[in-house]
Amino acid sequence: MKQSLRIWLDAARPKTLPLALVSILTGSVLAYSTHQFSLPVALLAFLTATLLQILSNLANDYGDAVKGTDNDQRLGPMRAIQSGDVSLKDMKSAIIINIALTIASGLVLVIYALDSLQSILAFIGLGVLAIVAAIAYTVGNKPYGYVGLGDISVFIFFGLLGVAGTYFLHTGIVVSSLILPAVGCGLLAVAVLNINNMRDIENDEECGKRTVAVRLGQQKAKQYHSLLLGGGLLAFIVYLLLQPSPIWTCLPFLLSALVVYKHGRAVWLADQPAQIAPMMPIVVKCSLVTNLLFAGAVIAQTLVS
C-alpha cells in the first residue's frame, strides 16, 4: 500500500505543484490589497489549481509514453509509465478520477465565490478549457505541446487567467492594473517549462516534439530564457513602483533578483542539456520565491497605505 501511494505521489510530480499555486497566490494577494480577500475562495482556488496541475502531469506521463518520447535517452526523472510501475490503463483511470475531482472542486469554488449565473457559466467554460488544455498538451493525434504552443498555453493559464481569474473570484471585477503581475507570473511559469524543454532538447528533436527550445536551438533557447526571467522580474518591479506607497516597501522584493540572476547565469554557462537537468527544481524555486516576495511587498504596501 505504501509503495503504491509512493508511486502515485511521484507520478503527480509534487515538485512542479508550486507552478500552479503562484498565480493563485498573486491574484489573492492583489485582492487583499483592495480589502476583498476571501480565505475560503483562496483555499478552494489553491485546491482546484493543484488538481489541474496534477492532471497535466498525469496526462503528460501518458501522452509522452504513448508517443515514445519517454525513453532511455530522456534526461528528466523517470516517469511512472516509463518505469513500468503504472500501466497505460491505470494511468487512464487516474486521469479520469482526477478530472472528476477537478470538476467537483471547481464547481464548489465558482458556486461559492460567484453570484451571477453569467459569471458562473463563464468560469465553468474556462474550467473546461483548462482541463482540455491540460490533457491536449501531449495527448491526442495533434498535441499542441509537440508543435511548440506549450509556452503560450502556460503563459495564458498560469499567468493571465490564473491571476486575473483568481482576482475576479475574490472581487467580482477585473482591473487593468492586473496586467503587470499577471505577465510577470506568466513569464516565470514559461521559464519553468523552458528549462524542461532545454533539458530534453535532443531527445525531443529526435522524437519529433518541436518545442520552442527545439525550434530555437540550445543557444537561442538560453537567450529566450534570460528574456523570460528578466521580463518577469521587470513586470513585478514596475507594478510595485507604480503604487502610491513608500519605496522601502519594494526593497525586500529585490532579493528575488539575486535568486533569479544566480539561476539565469547557471543556465547561460551550461554547455550540455545534462547540465540543465538539475535546474528544474531551481527554476521552480525562483518562481515561487519571486511571487512570495512580491506578495510580501503588496501586503506591506497595503498595510502602510
Side-chain angles (χ1 to χ4, degrees):
M1 182 65 176
K2 289 183 178 180
Q3 181 66 17
S4 179
L5 288 174
R6 182 65 185 177
I7 289 170
W8 285 109
L9 179 62
D10 289 341
R13 295 162 62 190
K15 291 182 179 179
T16 68
L17 298 185
L19 181 63
L21 303 181
V22 289
S23 63
I24 308 300
L25 169 68
T26 299
S28 295
V29 166
L30 291 170
Y32 172 83
S33 70
T34 66
H35 308 288
Q36 299 180 79
F37 174 80
S38 167
L39 182 59
V41 168
L43 293 176
L44 285 167
F46 276 126
L47 175 60
T48 305
T50 300
L51 289 169
L52 276 170
Q53 181 63 51
I54 293 173
L55 172 62
S56 177
N57 292 340
L58 297 179
N60 289 349
D61 196 314
Y62 180 87
D64 283 338
V66 169
K67 290 174 175 58
T69 309
D70 284 347
N71 52 46
D72 293 338
Q73 283 69 50
R74 181 176 173 271
L75 295 176
M78 184 76 69
R79 288 180 173 175
I81 296 175
Q82 180 187 7
S83 67
D85 291 331
V86 175
S87 67
L88 289 174
K89 181 180 178 181
D90 287 342
M91 186 60 76
K92 271 187 179 181
S93 298
I95 290 172
I96 292 171
I97 292 171
N98 190 274
I99 290 173
L101 292 174
T102 303
I103 291 173
S105 177
L107 285 174
V108 172
L109 170 61
V110 297
I111 292 172
Y112 178 86
L114 304 173
D115 296 323
S116 164
L117 178 60
Q118 183 178 2
S119 296
I120 291 173
L121 292 177
F123 267 81
I124 290 175
L126 289 174
V128 171
L129 187 61
I131 290 172
V132 171
I135 296 173
Y137 179 67
T138 59
V139 176
N141 294 328
K142 295 181 179 180
Y144 66 87
Y146 277 67
V147 294
L149 297 178
D151 295 49
I152 295 174
S153 176
V154 166
F155 179 73
I156 291 173
F157 285 101
F158 293 94
L160 302 184
L161 287 180
V163 173
T166 302
Y167 184 89
F168 186 91
L169 288 168
H170 284 285
T171 66
I173 60 172
V174 173
V175 293
S176 59
S177 60
L178 294 174
I179 188 65
L180 284 171
V183 166
C185 198
L187 290 177
L188 292 181
V190 176
V192 175
L193 177 62
N194 190 54
I195 284 294
N196 181 81
N197 292 339
M198 289 176 67
R199 178 195 66 197
D200 296 327
I201 190 169
E202 294 177 350
N203 185 56
D204 284 348
E205 185 170 16
E206 291 181 5
C207 295
K209 190 175 183 179
R210 301 284 294 169
T211 63
V212 170
V214 169
R215 291 177 181 275
L216 290 176
Q218 192 73 31
Q219 187 59 34
K220 288 185 178 179
K222 291 197 289 186
Q223 297 172 5
Y224 173 56
H225 195 71
S226 297
L227 289 174
L228 292 172
L229 295 175
L233 276 178
L234 182 61
F236 282 127
I237 290 171
V238 172
Y239 174 87
L240 292 173
L241 292 176
L242 288 175
Q243 305 311 305
S245 301
I247 191 68
W248 64 262
T249 59
C250 305
L251 295 180
F253 177 77
L254 297 181
L255 293 173
S256 63
L258 298 176
V259 178
V260 171
Y261 172 77
K262 183 178 180 181
H263 163 69
R265 186 172 184 275
V267 173
W268 189 260
L269 295 176
D271 294 324
Q272 301 295 329
Q275 295 173 293
I276 301 290
M279 296 182 186
M280 175 58 76
I282 298 174
V283 70
V284 172
K285 175 185 173 182
C286 286
S287 177
L288 180 59
V289 168
T290 300
N291 280 272
L292 284 172
L293 288 172
F294 174 76
V298 171
I299 291 171
Q301 289 182 338
T302 304
L303 294 175
V304 301
S305 62

